[in-house]
Amino acid sequence: MQFGYTILYVPDVAASLAFYQAAFGLNTRFLHDSGDFAELDTGATALAFCSHALLHAMGKSPCAPQADHPSFEIALVTDDVPAAVARAQAAGAQLVQAPTDMPWGQTIAYVSDLNGFLVELCTPVSPPTSA
């Protein structure tokens, strides 16, 4: 098995693509002609969006995300967390947690996207060096 992608259920796929481009610098890899499904160019594992309309047509009823009561998060790795937070906020993301240095050497921050999904902005995890 291989982890292929995560799909976020959103009311407006085009708006989500535009937000992720502006907030995080992620480009569209694929957009279906219907506008109901798209993927971002995020490396080996894609971040995708599927419209609520398509889900309803398939008999599913998606629920709205809640950044203050998350059931998961998306983590985007960067070398400059404060700059990433500033860019995301300029694009309309809401700050959930300011950049914080963690005991294991990682810096993390949290924002919520335009749909309320929790997004972690973090430095790479650096394993401790042995003496």
Side-chain angles (χ1 to χ4, degrees):
M1 290 268 179
Q2 182 177 333
F3 186 53
Y5 48 88
T6 294
I7 304 173
L8 302 182
Y9 302 148
V10 299
D12 185 332
V13 171
S16 296
L17 291 173
F19 173 82
Y20 274 76
Q21 167 69 40
F24 309 118
L26 299 173
N27 295 313
T28 301
R29 174 167 64 190
F30 170 77
L31 173 60
H32 187 266
D33 291 340
S34 68
D36 286 319
F37 183 84
E39 294 179 354
L40 292 171
D41 188 7
T42 52
T45 303
L47 179 58
F49 302 101
C50 182
S51 73
H52 288 174
L54 179 58
L55 289 164
H56 287 296
M58 296 184 332
K60 298 178 181 176
S61 299
C63 60
Q66 298 179 43
D68 59 343
H69 292 91
S71 59
F72 73 96
E73 67 186 56
I74 300 161
L76 299 174
V77 179
T78 178
D79 289 329
D80 190 344
V81 173
V85 169
R87 178 181 180 158
Q89 286 184 285
Q94 298 299 308
L95 182 65
V96 175
Q97 179 183 324
T100 304
D101 293 329
M102 304 308 291
W104 53 88
Q106 188 180 35
T107 301
I108 65 168
Y110 290 94
V111 297
S112 63
D113 76 2
L114 78 162
N115 298 301
F117 290 105
L118 188 63
V119 179
E120 178 185 4
L121 302 172
C122 59
T123 55
V125 175
S126 299
T129 56
S130 40

